[in-house]
């Protein structure tokens, strides 16, 4: 383990069990369920310094530190969480969890349905962002956290953070929304459907019951990841990283060797790794929840009316090259918050990395987030 300065070090996931179950937005009830989570930093005596991290589409509870001495890669947001970092664990008690429906330990399609004794598979209930937020509120109760100093999320996580501010306004002091939107555009929904069809058309998907047999829809999952990954990057980022560099073959006349571009090899690798670590039914579930999200739907499609329910102060961050969740979408959030009379700060970060920028160590991004979290920690 190459521990970086400011690391939270070795962390151990914890599991919370909820025997009372959860009523879901789809009308079904999830019987007893489990949430897996990690904590970094100490909860103060007043229990006022807790920060909740909401993960994005393929995220999970392991946001910082390492699980063992041999782990080479830290948690997915390790650059921002730790002693002296933007989300400073010397000041904050940070909670990061894997949502229900996930495939990293929380109850999801791979879990056993207690009512049938069989794996849920494709029969796992449909989910909405509000279901995740409601289950997170149950975890908050279990941990004795009555109010979060901040709820923070990027992409789909940012949508959950906004839902927190509306569903539990008195339990959120600050809401940090990064690279998100009030709802998906038609283009975004189309990309998600294309990725889903890649999975559904894989013969090994077996109508979602692949866990009953020996096969897993690896090809479909890999292709879904490749489609998604392309949309998370910008043209400039791909050009800088790969250009038209070749991994193998040649364009020389007379050569019959197959030409392979570096970007092709990279995408295949990303898809292959993803297909080994993620569940196909979870991917379908998560992308549909992303498509269904519309913060203002129940408020007459008026985001100003929606944000009028909130009490929290907001920080909204976007990235200049993010075309999947563009800065225009973030400005729509900001404009609605201003019209609703809410306190809001906004920063558009110049970055070439596309949507993935919210996960990367970009100095200006880190400085903006650090400055705002300093304010959170000071009680502003």
């Amino acid at each position: 383990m190459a521990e970086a300065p400011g690391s939270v070090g070795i962390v151990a996931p914890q599991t919370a069990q909820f025997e009372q179950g959860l009523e879901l937005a789809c009308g079904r009830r999830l019987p007893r369920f489990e949430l897996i989570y990690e904590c970094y930093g100490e909860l103060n005596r007043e229990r006022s310094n807790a920060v909740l991290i909401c993960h994005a589409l393929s995220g999970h509870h392991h946001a910082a530190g390492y699980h063992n001495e041999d782990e080479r890669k830290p948690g997915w947001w390790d650059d921002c969480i730790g002693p002296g970092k933007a989300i400073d664990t010397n000041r904050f008690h940070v909670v990061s969890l894997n949502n229900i429906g996930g495939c990293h330990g929380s109850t999801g399609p791979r879990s056993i349905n207690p009512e049938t004794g069989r794996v849920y598979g494709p029969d796992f209930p449909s989910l909405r962002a509000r279901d995740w937020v409601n289950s997170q509120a149950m975890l908050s109760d279990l941990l004795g956290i009555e109010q979060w100093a901040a709820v923070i999320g990027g992409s789909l996580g940012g949508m959950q953070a906004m839902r927190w501010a509306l569903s539990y306004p008195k339990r959120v002091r600050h809401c940090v929304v990064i690279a998100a939107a009030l709802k998906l555009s038609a283009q975004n929904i189309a990309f998600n459907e294309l990725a889903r069809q890649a999975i559904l058309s894989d013969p090994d998907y077996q109508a979602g019951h692949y866990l009953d047999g020996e096969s897993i829809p690896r090809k479909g999952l890999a292709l879904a990841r490749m489609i998604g990954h392309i949309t998370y990057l910008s043209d400039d980022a791909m050009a800088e990283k790969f250009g038209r560099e070749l991994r193998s073959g040649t364009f020389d006349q007379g050569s019959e060797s197959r030409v392979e571009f570096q970007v092709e090899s990279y995408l295949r690798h990303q898809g292959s790794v993803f297909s080994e670590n993620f569940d196909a039914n979870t991917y379908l579930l998560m992308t549909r929840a992303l498509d269904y999200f519309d913060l203002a739907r129940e408020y007459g499609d008026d985001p100003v009316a929606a944000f009028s329910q909130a009490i929290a102060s907001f920080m909204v961050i976007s990235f200049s090259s993010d075309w999947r969740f563009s800065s225009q979408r973030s400005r729509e959030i900001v404009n609605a918050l201003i019209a609703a009379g809410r306190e809001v700060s906004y920063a558009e970060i110049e970055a070439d990395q596309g949507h993935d920028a919210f996960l990367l160590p970009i100095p200006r991004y880190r400085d903006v987030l650090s400055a705002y979290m300093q304010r959170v920690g000071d009680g502003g």
Side-chain angles (χ1 to χ4, degrees):
M1 178 186 73
E3 185 172 314
S7 172
V8 298
I10 303 295
V11 296
Q14 303 177 60
T15 302
Q17 298 181 347
F18 300 92
E19 297 296 328
Q20 67 270 46
L22 177 66
E23 298 294 332
L24 302 173
C26 67
R28 291 177 60 183
R29 183 176 183 275
L30 188 66
R32 62 180 183 271
F33 66 95
E34 295 182 345
L35 289 175
I36 190 168
Y37 66 100
E38 293 180 0
C39 296
Y40 324 110
E42 297 297 323
L43 186 63
N44 63 17
R45 183 177 301 176
E46 297 80 13
R47 297 180 175 270
S48 62
N49 69 332
V51 170
L52 177 66
I53 305 298
C54 300
H55 68 72
L57 177 64
S58 59
H60 45 69
H61 56 285
H62 187 37
Y66 301 84
H67 282 162
N68 55 66
E69 292 287 345
D70 297 325
E71 189 174 21
R72 298 177 62 184
K73 188 176 180 181
W76 59 267
W77 218 19
D78 190 77
D79 182 68
C80 287
I81 300 173
K85 296 180 181 178
I87 306 172
D88 190 350
T89 50
N90 289 329
R91 305 189 74 185
F92 298 111
H93 175 68
V94 182
V95 179
S96 176
L97 79 160
N98 182 217
N99 284 332
I100 53 172
C103 54
H104 293 94
S106 294
T107 298
R110 285 181 171 269
S111 304
I112 299 296
N113 182 347
E115 295 179 346
T116 65
R118 299 182 60 190
V119 171
Y120 275 108
D123 299 323
F124 194 85
S126 174
L127 295 173
R128 305 287 191 276
R130 68 179 69 245
D131 297 321
W132 291 326
V133 169
N134 289 339
S135 66
Q136 292 161 11
M138 294 170 69
L139 178 63
S140 308
D141 294 339
L142 186 68
L143 299 177
I145 298 170
E146 295 183 1
Q147 185 185 68
W148 296 100
V151 178
I152 305 173
S155 192
L156 181 56
M159 294 172 170
Q160 294 169 61
M162 288 188 286
R163 178 60 69 188
W164 255 102
L166 269 58
S167 296
Y168 298 94
K170 294 182 179 179
R171 301 190 69 168
V172 184
R173 292 205 303 277
H174 292 267
C175 179
V176 181
V177 183
I178 307 170
L182 292 167
K183 59 185 176 184
L184 287 196
S185 66
Q187 184 186 53
N188 267 313
I189 295 171
F191 279 122
N192 285 344
E193 175 60 10
L194 185 60
R196 286 192 293 267
Q197 286 300 322
I199 293 171
L200 294 170
S201 61
D202 187 328
D204 288 332
Y205 180 63
Q206 298 181 28
H209 296 286
Y210 48 86
L211 292 178
D212 293 338
E214 297 294 328
S215 61
I216 293 176
R218 290 185 175 87
K219 290 183 179 178
L221 260 174
L223 183 54
R225 180 58 173 175
M226 290 165 70
I227 292 167
H229 201 66
I230 290 170
T231 71
Y232 302 148
L233 301 175
S234 70
D235 185 38
D236 287 343
M238 295 184 76
E240 181 177 350
K241 189 169 186 176
F242 307 108
R244 290 178 54 84
E245 294 296 319
L246 300 183
R247 179 176 175 82
S248 62
T250 176
F251 288 114
D252 293 343
Q253 283 189 336
S255 173
E256 294 185 1
S257 63
R258 180 187 178 276
V259 169
E260 181 184 23
F261 289 96
Q262 288 284 3
V263 68
E264 294 177 293
S265 175
Y266 170 78
L267 286 175
R268 283 198 294 272
H269 172 73
Q270 291 293 322
S272 177
V273 171
F274 188 75
S275 69
E276 296 296 330
N277 297 322
F278 212 77
D279 178 66
N281 284 320
T282 289
Y283 192 89
L284 299 177
L285 192 77
M286 294 284 188
T287 55
R288 286 179 179 131
L290 181 57
D291 290 353
Y292 299 156
F293 182 83
D294 185 346
L295 193 71
R297 181 187 291 117
E298 65 195 79
Y299 301 96
D301 293 323
D302 182 0
V304 178
F307 282 127
S308 295
Q309 314 302 311
I311 298 174
S313 297
F314 286 76
M315 177 73 219
V316 180
I317 299 174
S318 68
F319 299 90
S320 59
S321 61
D322 183 355
W323 56 273
R324 184 102 194 236
F325 290 80
S326 69
S327 292
Q328 181 183 348
R329 301 283 82 83
S330 287
R331 287 194 291 271
E332 289 171 355
I333 296 171
V334 172
N335 291 339
L337 284 165
I338 292 171
R342 303 282 75 87
E343 187 176 88
V344 56
S345 302
Y346 172 61
E348 178 181 348
I349 307 299
E350 289 291 330
D352 295 332
Q353 293 87 348
H355 186 57
D356 269 356
F358 85 94
L359 297 168
L360 301 175
I362 298 168
R364 177 62 176 166
Y365 170 39
R366 188 165 37 197
D367 290 347
V368 166
L369 184 58
S370 294
Y372 191 81
M373 293 307 297
Q374 178 76 30
R375 176 186 169 194
V376 174
D378 290 344

